[in-house]
Amino acid sequence: MPNTSRTTGKSARGAGASRRPGPASDEHPGAPLKHQTDIARAAALIADPSRARILKCLADGRALPASALAGEAGITAATASAHLAKLVEGEFVTVEARGRHRYYRLFGPDVSAALEALALIAPPLAITSLKQSSRTNALHRSRTCYDHLAGRLGVALMQSLLDLGVLTGHDGIHRPAEAVRDRPSSYGRDIVYELSDEGPSILAELGVDTRRLPPRRPAVRYCVDWSEHQHHLAGGLGAALTARLFDLGWVRWGAAPRVVHLTDEGALGLERTLGLVVG
């Protein structure tokens, strides 16, 4: 997984902190684990429906207060606090004090990736209302995969970068019959994408400075999108490009967790700069 800082200001860390491998384990994605892992303990933390809903709410990488998480999970503030304390102790979530309030976020993209992987084998939730159906359609259309874009919009963005020659290395299509290590809803490992010589100047027109990407995080990575079964852009570049689109007002957060919406200005801007036409 990409290297990320695993401390967030005045983060409260649980007693199990010393048992989790340090950041060095993130610098070599796909490397075999050299230690035993307590899968049952991790699964028990996710197994509670309320905790699972809380983790889903945090899966876009944002920090949210306990009140918002309680409302989304449909539980009381006291119950949410108890669940969050367990998630902090288990290092699924970190907490940061901001004045009188406490904000929670996922421990890192590896937690988000684990949730996505579990979604592949989990039975679907029954859709019993128009609201649920609309949310599912919105997730397929455009969402975040931790800190980068996914869904049809994320896949289309990746394809535009390939068509323009910003990225090289593959055509962006996931072919299960040819895959060796790549699986849906996970970071890709079979393909090596690279930023082309012309890529930085093209991205600079969007206000993305590739010289300022995090030095210890892989600049270009990809995920196999679980809904589209194609590649979307991850890594430092995927995060920087997504952040820039939010800054420009070209995408905005939706009402449901992880859902993002392409604005009218964004549709025009992406067509003008990257030739991306969203159907």
Side-chain angles (χ1 to χ4, degrees):
M1 298 297 169
N3 182 64
T4 55
S5 172
R6 292 192 167 181
T7 56
T8 53
K10 301 177 181 177
S11 297
R13 301 283 296 276
S18 62
R19 295 192 292 274
R20 180 173 289 228
S25 64
D26 288 340
E27 296 173 17
H28 305 284
L33 292 174
K34 297 180 180 179
H35 50 82
Q36 294 295 317
T37 56
D38 191 349
I39 296 175
R41 180 169 178 261
L45 283 170
I46 301 174
D48 182 272
S50 294
R51 286 199 291 272
R53 285 192 290 270
I54 287 172
L55 290 170
K56 285 181 182 180
C57 292
L58 295 172
D60 57 22
R62 285 185 292 176
L64 296 174
S67 57
L69 295 170
E72 188 64 33
I75 55 181
T76 66
T79 301
S81 294
H83 284 310
L84 285 165
K86 292 181 179 180
L87 291 172
V88 169
E89 181 181 4
E91 290 195 299
F92 275 63
V93 167
T94 63
V95 58
E96 178 182 357
R98 299 182 187 176
R100 297 171 55 190
H101 302 283
R102 293 158 68 86
Y103 284 76
Y104 298 83
R105 71 167 73 242
L106 284 192
F107 200 83
D110 50 349
V111 180
S112 180
L115 295 173
E116 293 265 347
L118 282 173
L120 288 176
I121 61 173
L125 289 170
I127 296 177
T128 58
S129 67
L130 178 60
K131 180 179 179 180
Q132 287 178 306
S133 177
S134 298
R135 177 177 295 190
T136 299
N137 290 334
L139 283 169
H140 282 249
R141 183 173 59 250
S142 52
R143 64 182 184 276
T144 53
C145 177
Y146 194 63
D147 59 3
H148 51 272
L149 288 176
R152 289 195 293 273
L153 179 59
V155 165
L157 179 62
M158 178 76 162
Q159 194 61 57
S160 292
L161 296 175
L162 291 168
D163 291 344
L164 283 175
V166 173
L167 298 176
T168 62
H170 196 254
D171 62 3
I173 306 299
H174 173 62
R175 298 178 176 84
E178 300 174 10
V180 178
R181 292 181 294 174
D182 283 5
R183 297 292 183 271
S185 190
S186 65
Y187 281 121
R189 296 182 174 90
D190 289 346
I191 309 300
V192 177
Y193 286 105
E194 294 181 342
L195 191 63
S196 70
D197 293 339
E198 299 79 17
S201 61
I202 297 174
L203 292 170
E205 297 178 12
L206 269 172
V208 176
D209 188 348
T210 57
R211 297 169 300 179
R212 301 183 63 183
L213 298 178
R216 295 189 63 198
R217 181 177 185 180
V220 180
R221 295 203 67 190
Y222 70 98
C223 295
V224 182
D225 197 276
W226 63 262
S227 64
E228 305 306 303
H229 296 275
Q230 297 186 47
H231 299 166
H232 66 244
L233 180 63
L237 181 58
L241 185 52
T242 300
R244 180 58 178 162
L245 295 182
F246 274 109
D247 288 343
L248 290 169
W250 290 8
V251 294
R252 61 175 177 81
W253 292 109
R258 301 183 59 199
V259 170
V260 297
H261 297 299
L262 180 67
T263 65
D264 291 340
E265 183 182 2
L268 292 173
L270 288 174
E271 182 176 2
R272 184 180 69 253
T273 58
L274 300 179
L276 193 165
V277 178
V278 179

